[in-house]
Amino acid sequence: MLTVETRYAIDPDTAKTLDTTGLRKHFHAAGLFQDGKINLIYTHYDRLILGGAVPGTRELVLDEVKEAGTPSLLDRRELGILNIGEAGTVKAGGETYQVGKGDVLYIGMGSGPVTFSGPGRFYILSAPAHRACPSRLITVKDARRVELGSAETSNERVILQFLHPEVAESCQLLMGYTQFAPGSVWNTMPAHVHDRRMEAYLYFELGPDQRVFHFMGKPDETRHLVMANEDAVVSPPWSIHCGAGTGAYTFCWAMAGDNVDFTDMDMVAMGDLR
C-alpha cells in the first residue's frame, strides 16, 4: 500500500555530467498515481516529500513513514494535498474533508494519521514543520488568482495560490498551481532561481500524446526532461525550472526552504541562458 523512494541531493557540477537516464533517475518522477497505493518520494532537498494517493475502492492510510524517523509522518511535518481527480474524502485530526477537484487541503503538524477514500487522485506534499498551523480546506474559489502573460508571448496563464501567506498559513510549505490559456505553452519564462528554496512541479491535464519539455540546470548549463501527464520533477535550489508544452496544460508548484516569500526570486536574463 505504501512505497517510498529516497532521492539524494545532487550538486550542479555532478548534474551537468549526467546523461538523459541519469537526469531522469535523480530529478524525474513517474508512476506516482496508482490505484490502491500511496507512492512517495523522500527528497534530500529541504526534506520535501512528494507523492500520490489513489484510494479507488479502498481506504488508504498515511501514518508512519520510516524515512521521516517519527512514529507518525505529521509528528514533525505539515502536509498539503491537491486533488487532481474527482471529489474525494480525506480524514485527519478528527475532521473529515470533502476535497473537490482542484481544491487543496492543508493539514498541520501533529494531526496524526491521514485517511484517503473515494475517487480522488491526491497529490501529496510534505515539509518539516517547527510549529502547528491550523488545518484548512482551501477551495478553488478561495485561492488567490494572479493573471499573467499574453497570447502574443505564448504564456497567458492564471496562477492559483493556495498555501500562501495571503491565503492560508503554513510553516514553510508554499503551494499552488498554474493553468494555461489555449495556445499558451511557456511556463516560468523568463526563468529564475531561488537558492533559498527548492521546488517541485507536477504536470497534469496533458493528453496522452502531449508532452512538456521541462528545462533545468544552472542558467549557463541547461538540460531538459520530457514530461508526460502526471509526471513530477524535483528542482534543486540552484536550478532554473521552466518549460514549454505541445499544448496547454496545468502544473502544480510547491516550495520549501528558508522563507515563504513567493516573490523571492533571482531572475535570469534571457541573454544569460545557455
Side-chain angles (χ1 to χ4, degrees):
M1 184 178 74
L2 173 66
T3 63
V4 185
E5 177 189 350
T6 297
R7 297 284 181 97
Y8 295 100
I10 301 295
D11 67 274
D13 289 336
T14 300
K16 72 181 182 181
T17 69
L18 299 175
D19 61 9
T20 299
T21 300
L23 287 171
R24 293 178 76 83
K25 175 183 177 182
H26 289 288
F27 302 108
H28 174 262
L32 295 177
F33 300 90
Q34 298 179 22
D35 288 349
K37 294 183 179 180
I38 299 174
N39 295 311
L40 302 178
I41 295 178
Y42 180 97
T43 82
H44 281 235
Y45 299 104
D46 291 298
R47 302 287 168 168
L48 184 83
I49 293 175
L50 64 148
V54 185
T57 59
R58 60 188 297 187
E59 285 192 342
L60 296 176
V61 180
L62 179 59
D63 191 7
E64 182 182 10
V65 175
K66 181 180 177 181
E67 288 74 5
T70 54
S72 185
L73 178 65
L74 294 184
D75 286 351
R76 294 178 59 85
R77 282 179 166 270
E78 59 187 352
L79 197 70
I81 302 167
L82 165 65
N83 185 10
I84 63 173
E86 298 179 37
T89 302
V90 179
K91 299 178 182 178
E95 299 291 334
T96 300
Y97 303 91
Q98 301 301 320
V99 186
K101 182 177 182 180
D103 293 346
V104 169
L105 174 62
Y106 173 79
I107 302 177
M109 183 181 74
S111 296
V114 181
T115 302
F116 302 90
S117 61
R121 297 174 73 80
F122 299 102
Y123 181 49
I124 299 167
L125 292 151
S126 177
H130 62 269
R131 62 187 176 93
C133 298
S135 298
R136 178 185 168 188
L137 176 65
I138 309 110
T139 66
V140 176
K141 65 180 179 61
D142 297 327
R144 183 173 184 261
R145 294 176 58 91
V146 180
E147 297 182 5
L148 295 173
S150 67
E152 289 74 17
T153 52
S154 302
N155 67 349
E156 185 179 358
R157 63 202 188 277
V158 57
I159 300 173
L160 296 173
Q161 298 171 337
F162 290 81
L163 300 188
H164 182 282
E166 296 185 28
V167 181
E169 183 184 18
S170 67
C171 186
Q172 68 159 318
L173 189 61
L174 285 170
M175 182 178 173
Y177 54 86
T178 301
Q179 297 175 317
F180 287 84
S184 288
V185 296
W186 274 103
N187 79 70
T188 326
M189 183 60 70
H192 65 262
V193 297
H194 30 67
D195 201 48
R196 296 152 295 280
R197 297 191 308 272
M198 65 80 65
E199 190 157 1
Y201 278 9
L202 173 74
Y203 288 101
F204 61 105
E205 296 185 338
L206 284 77
D209 295 324
Q210 190 177 345
R211 294 294 184 270
V212 172
F213 291 77
H214 178 90
F215 295 94
M216 62 164 293
K218 297 279 282 186
D220 61 351
E221 195 73 51
T222 63
R223 302 290 188 270
H224 76 273
L225 297 167
V226 180
M227 312 293 292
N229 188 46
E230 297 183 356
D231 282 359
V233 60
V234 178
S235 182
W238 48 262
S239 176
I240 65 167
H241 34 280
C242 58
T246 56
Y249 54 94
T250 302
F251 72 97
C252 175
W253 43 265
M255 292 173 271
D258 274 332
N259 62 40
V260 290
D261 182 359
F262 182 85
T263 62
D264 180 19
M265 307 172 187
D266 300 320
M267 302 304 297
V268 178
M270 293 294 287
D272 292 336
L273 291 172
R274 295 290 184 271

